[in-house]
Amino acid sequence: MSHLQASNLFSVKDRVVVVTGGGSGLGRIMTKALDANEVSKIFILGRREDALQETISQTINGTVIPIKCDITSKESLEAAYEAIAAQTTHVDLLIANSGIMGPLMKPPQPAADGSLPPLSQVRDELFNVPMDEFNKVLNVNVTGSYYTVLAFLPLLEAANKRRPAPQPGVLAAPTAQVIITSSIAGYARKVPFSFAYNASKSATTQLVKMLSTSFAYYGIRVNGISPGLYYSDMANHIFQAAGITGQAIEDGSFPREMIPATRGGSEEDMAGLIVWLASNSGGYINGNILVTDGGRISVVPASY
Ligand SMILES: NC(=O)c1ccc[n+]([C@@H]2O[C@H](COP(=O)([O-])OP(=O)(O)OC[C@H]3O[C@@H](n4cnc5c(N)ncnc54)[C@H](OP(=O)(O)O)[C@@H]3O)[C@@H](O)[C@H]2O)c1
C-alpha cells in the first residue's frame, strides 16, 4: 500500500479525543465521524446527560464515553479532567467546541416610508438586555474555551511524551492538538445586532492564535475552525428566519447571495474537515483557522 493512499493520509486510528459540546450539533457530528474511523476513545463533555447519551446512541463503534461537565466552572473542568485521567494516559486531540448564541437583537426595521426607527428606540432595545446575558456568552465561548484548554494541557503533554524517537525517513504521528470551534461571525459584521456572539467569536479566533503561539514550543498545536451555517439547535433560528426547514443540505436550499454553495453545511463537510485535521496528514497544521462556510463569508449581505 502506498503511504499516499487516503486510508493512511487520513488515518485517526487509536487517537484519544475529548470533545466539549459533544451532546449535540457540530460536536455530535465530530464525535460520530471520529468514532466511525477507528479512534480509541472519545470523551464527550456537556451539561445534559441525556444529550450525551443520544450522541452515543448514534455512534457505531462503542468508543464514546460521556462526562458531565460545565466548562464555565473550574471545579467542573477539574472533575472532568480527573474522570478522564482515570481512563486514559493521554489525550491526542482536545476539541473545545462548546458555545452559546446568547441575546440576538432584531435589527431596527425601517418604517413603511423607509425611514429608520429613532436611535433612542434602538438604544433602548439594546440597553434593555441585561449585562449578565451579554457576559454569559463571553463566559462560555471565550473564558470557558480558554479554561478548557488549560485544564487538559497535562494529558496533551502526555500524548507528546509517548511519541517515538525520530528515525531517519520515518514520519511520526502528529503532535498533540487543540481545535477550538470559532465562527465566521468572528470575522464578519453579519448576523446583525448579534453583538455578544460575534464579539465572542472574534475573541475565540484570537484565542486560537495566542494559544498556538504560547504552546508552540511545547509541541501542542492549536487550530480553529470557523463554520458558516450548519443546522443545529443554535443555528436553527437563522434557518427559520430565512424560511428554511431542516438541514437544507440540498443544492438550491439557500439563495446564492446568502450562501454561494446554496446549501447548509452537511455532516460530510464537518466530518471530513475534523478527520483531516485529526489525521496523519493534518500534522503540519498549526495556528490555522479553517473556514467551512460554502463561501458565505465572502458574500453575505448585511440583511442576513
Ligand atoms: N451551527 C452553526 O452553524 C455554527 C456556526 C458557527 C459556529 N458554531 C459553533 O459551533 C459550536 C457548536 O455549536 P452547535 O451549532 O453545534 O450548537 P448546539 O447544538 O447548541 O451545541 C452547543 C453545545 O455546547 C454545549 N455547551 C453550552 N454551554 C456549555 C457549558 N457551559 N458547558 C459545557 N458545554 C456547554 C451544549 O451542551 P449542554 O447544553 O449539554 O451543556 C451543546 O452541546 C459552538 O461553539 C458554536 O458557536 C456553530
Side-chain angles (χ1 to χ4, degrees), residues 47-86:
R47 293 163 304 173
R48 292 167 300 154
E49 278 172 334
D50 56 336
L52 300 175
Q53 287 300 340
E54 175 56 30
T55 294
I56 290 173
S57 74
Q58 295 185 26
T59 56
I60 54 176
N61 283 322
T63 62
V64 185
I65 301 155
I67 307 279
K68 199 173 172 198
C69 178
D70 181 342
I71 62 157
T72 62
S73 154
K74 275 170 82 169
E75 292 71 28
S76 186
L77 278 169
E78 278 172 341
Y81 179 88
E82 292 305 331
I84 291 170

Side-chain angles (χ1 to χ4, degrees), residues 18-212:
V18 172
V19 183
T20 70
S24 63
L26 302 186
R28 177 174 290 165
I29 299 171
M30 294 170 189
T31 302
K32 285 163 65 176
L34 292 165
D35 169 78
N37 286 283
E38 298 186 286
V39 295
S40 161
K41 285 182 180 147
I42 313 172
F43 298 93
I44 56 171
L45 277 55
R47 293 163 304 173
R48 292 167 300 154
E49 278 172 334
D50 56 336
L52 300 175
Q53 287 300 340
E54 175 56 30
T55 294
I56 290 173
S57 74
Q58 295 185 26
T59 56
I60 54 176
N61 283 322
T63 62
V64 185
I65 301 155
I67 307 279
K68 199 173 172 198
C69 178
D70 181 342
I71 62 157
T72 62
S73 154
K74 275 170 82 169
E75 292 71 28
S76 186
L77 278 169
E78 278 172 341
Y81 179 88
E82 292 305 331
I84 291 170
Q87 299 177 68
T88 180
T89 55
H90 64 284
V91 169
D92 299 292
L93 171 62
L94 165 68
I95 307 179
N97 164 75
S98 287
I100 60 170
M101 178 70 86
L104 187 66
M105 301 303 299
K106 198 162 177 267
Q109 300 298 308
D113 65 0
S115 61
L116 284 172
L119 181 60
S120 59
Q121 182 190 328
V122 177
R123 180 264 186 201
D124 285 352
E125 279 186 32
L126 296 175
F127 203 71
N128 280 342
V129 173
M131 272 193 192
D132 280 353
E133 275 189 42
F134 194 103
N135 286 337
K136 197 173 162 193
V137 180
L138 300 176
N139 195 30
V140 176
N141 296 357
V142 186
T143 314
S145 298
Y146 172 67
Y147 279 95
T148 300
V149 176
L150 297 184
F152 283 93
L153 286 175
L155 280 171
L156 290 162
E157 183 181 45
N160 283 341
K161 288 195 172 143
R162 298 173 77 243
R163 298 178 81 239
Q167 289 178 42
V170 176
L171 181 67
T175 54
Q177 179 181 199
V178 172
I179 298 172
I180 302 178
T181 307
S182 186
S183 169
I184 61 165
Y187 300 123
R189 280 166 279 179
K190 314 308 177 188
V191 191
F193 287 77
S194 176
F195 288 102
Y197 183 75
N198 291 16
S200 79
K201 290 299 181 177
S202 289
T204 307
T205 296
Q206 175 69 353
L207 198 57
V208 171
K209 296 177 190 172
M210 292 197 62
L211 289 169
S212 71

Side-chain angles (χ1 to χ4, degrees), residues 11-12 15-16 91-96 149 152-153 156-157 159-160 163 171-180 207-224 273-290:
S11 172
V12 291
R15 304 269 198 280
V16 178
V91 169
D92 299 292
L93 171 62
L94 165 68
I95 307 179
V149 176
F152 283 93
L153 286 175
L156 290 162
E157 183 181 45
N160 283 341
R163 298 178 81 239
L171 181 67
T175 54
Q177 179 181 199
V178 172
I179 298 172
I180 302 178
L207 198 57
V208 171
K209 296 177 190 172
M210 292 197 62
L211 289 169
S212 71
T213 302
S214 302
F215 298 119
Y217 295 139
Y218 293 93
I220 294 170
R221 296 175 297 127
V222 183
N223 291 300
L273 179 60
I274 215 70
V275 168
W276 168 59
L277 275 176
S279 73
N280 293 338
S281 57
Y284 216 47
I285 309 298
N286 192 6
N288 272 260
I289 320 281
L290 291 124

